[in-house]
Amino acid sequence: MGEDLPPKRSIKRWLVTTNHKDVGLLYIATAIFFLLAGGVLALAFRLHLLESGGFLDLEHNQFNQFVTAHGFLMVFWFFSPIAVGFANYFVPIQIGAKDLAFPRLNAMSYWLYLFSGLLVVSSFLQGGTYGGGWTVYAPLNVPTYTPAMEATTGGNATILGLFLFVVSVTLGTVNFMTTIHRHRAEGMGLWNMPLFTWSILLTVWMMLFAFAALLAAVFLLGVDRIFLTQYFATDQGSGLLWAHLFWFFGHPEVYIVFFPALGVMFETFQTFTGRRLVGRKWIIIAMVLVTVQSFLVWMHHMYLTTINLEIKTLIMATTIGISLPFDLMVFALIYTMVKGRVQFTTPFLFNLGALVLFIIGGITGVFLGAIILDYELRGTYWVVAHFHYVMVSGITALIGGLFYWWPKMTGKMYNETLGKLSFAVYFIGFNVLYFPMFLAWETPRRVFHYAEHMTLYHQIATGGAFILGLGVLLVLVTLVHSLFKGPAAPANPWEFSRTAEWAVSSPPPLENWDGRATYANGRLEFVDDSPTVTDGGTPTAEAEVTDVDHHEEHADHASIWPFMTGVGLFFFFLGLAGLTPVTIELIEANGLDQYFPAWAQITTEGEMNYLYPALTVFGFLFTCAALFKLGVEDFNVPEPKVAERWPFGGDMDDTKFGMWVFLASDVVVFGAIIGAYIFMRLHAGWSTFEPVPDYAWPGLLNTYILLTSSFTVILALVMAQRKNKQGLLAMMGTTVLLGLGFMGVKAWEWSLKFSQGDFWFSGIEYSLYYVTTGLHGLHVIFGLMIAVFMIFRIVTVDAYLEDNRPVEFFGLYWHFVDIVWVILFPLFYLM
């Protein structure tokens, strides 16, 4: 049983909580911390840009590191996470749920987010952070181009921090998709969901595929940097490969960041104009269109590459096309203001300011959508200005959301005068900072040398940066002041608010409300699910159902193991970051350095530090122990008996749906990795590309082994359904033996290649083979670890005999791993 939740004043509360509101507050507070860290870096390099050549004493590498770290922290560790904080807090309440579908997974997602950010911050203490720009373009993203060996470990920590962040995002995506699709209150169809919840649903759908592509790209970069493979250390199309992988993520990321801000704008415009949003259904359709189109325009970031003109022209058309749904949304917001009676509160001012900034950002973005203009403007301060007008307009709306929901989250009202003053300073500072950059557009981005006639623009922009910083500080002062001096907030401080969070107290109780929320009669009501008894003393049929509901209402809200898992992974990735020098030393010691000429500039000097390998081993073992304790913990999370689940109802349950969502993400990961193999092989010439395996029979043997293991997993499920413990143990054990046999054949095959002098760093064809099959092998190992854990549970507590669903879910994963191998076998062994 998960432990009881301590009081909010206790530090332990925040380490063990799995409640969605607590996790939301943790996200918001942590995101603000990273905002301040990124903002300090920005003020430093803006001060450096006060004059050409540098006003501060920042060296070239330091300037690049500050600019890059600022981009990383803002784009990844502030923009999306603060929106995820709002989503954590309010989406379950808005749809009538008592929590997210997987509370411990939600807590783990937060802790991985926090520790991933700490990895990036720690990189400054490890010889220097990554300095190749937040877009991480190849070939600048490999240590060959890192000026000093000392910076390699810090750069690795940044890249691995990004990897851990994407894992966090994946966990959150599975959770939100399951919750929104399967936990909506009775009577709340998809069309009836609040627009903020709609924005989050479409955001996580984009996250599911976009971040999976980024995960694959960062994985390839990580093995390049740590284990010296050659995906991005060669001139064999590596730059174009990275651009495709990164921008397939990067353009949807713009909408991933902006959609939650749009949701906040829709909610606040309705509340503070006193009328329903004009064209609500058309707005939802427009957002769905943008969600789909966002994956069709990534190449407009690649006009300067060798992609042929016909494809570039097609992408230009799709870029213009994706702006049309946004036109509809902008006009809907404007027309809502025209038709309503506007109340110029602080939340509305921030959201109105966001709309103005977004319009300017959108118009200036049209210039970049045209091929000929992009040739001229690409890589200049025009792009910097446009990018910030779009992205920071979203931040502006989210700050408005912070003011809008502050009374609900804290139970305190803020000072309106201070709030409006903070908006005025913030809005003026933003425009003073970024609008001069349009005028200074000839300045190349990421450099601090510029033409003399640009000096005034840069000086004005630097002044604007400090005004903007003061505006952000005033926002924080206003909110902190309200915590100590603000009057108590009523349940609903806004006259025309219309979503469910305003129907409960400020702040809401632990499980949001007593009973069950329902919209069955067209309006929000709370049904008491306690059993009712007829005059004769016998519960009615309806009462029997609600009696079950009543006894399953209790849910656990505390577990320490998500936090512990985050601690373990932090040390594991911190250790991995320092393995590059060890790898190089081992290769050089064995006389194998001739195989990786691209890394010749990297040298190791002095005594090797083996602290990092020790941290890697410690972190791995600690993580395994934490996950084991998480697996055996008795943690009750009842699914709602009555809920809207279209289109994922039927015999589907939360865990099964979540597994399908995870596998969909993994399909994209493997698709990107296999796509990288096909891309690089086509670039080299398909027929001239020498296959790495010498023989086809090991791959064929492994194909038979894995297909047989899929059959044994099916038999394991049959045995579980029949409650045959010995049969279940036998089939799970056979699956493990077959998996070990697969890994044994693979180990023999690799050792044979090693004996012939063919290593993963020997050339791009070897990197492709070892990394692609190695990633599949990691999936097999992970599956074997799960299977061994399940065998332990069967032996110790007779698990899966009464509830055999976990065996089915494991089977889904194992079948997926087998299917991937069926694709890899012909690619690497027969073609």
Side-chain angles (χ1 to χ4, degrees), residues 550-570:
H550 176 69
H551 283 89
E552 292 189 357
E553 277 301 313
H554 173 73
D556 293 316
H557 296 283
S559 172
I560 192 62
W561 301 115
F563 168 72
M564 291 298 185
T565 303
V567 171
L569 287 173
F570 173 77

Side-chain angles (χ1 to χ4, degrees), residues 167-183:
V167 174
S168 162
V169 168
T170 303
L171 298 181
T173 298
V174 171
N175 218 344
F176 277 105
M177 288 187 66
T178 305
T179 304
I180 297 174
H181 279 299
R182 294 187 43 82
H183 284 226

Side-chain angles (χ1 to χ4, degrees), residues 750 753-754 758-760 766-775:
W750 280 25
K753 299 303 296 181
F754 295 162
D758 297 330
F759 297 88
W760 56 90
Y766 297 97
S767 295
L768 291 167
Y769 164 71
Y770 282 110
V771 171
T772 308
T773 59
L775 178 62

Side-chain angles (χ1 to χ4, degrees), residues 16 40 70 100 155 226 298 366 415 428 440 447 460 473 505 578 614 646 670 687 778 810 812:
V16 304
V40 168
H70 164 75
L100 290 175
I226 297 168
W298 81 92
V366 173
N415 185 293
I428 292 170
V447 299
I460 293 173
L473 189 61
S505 62
W646 186 89
F670 270 109
S687 59
L778 287 176
F810 170 73
L812 290 175

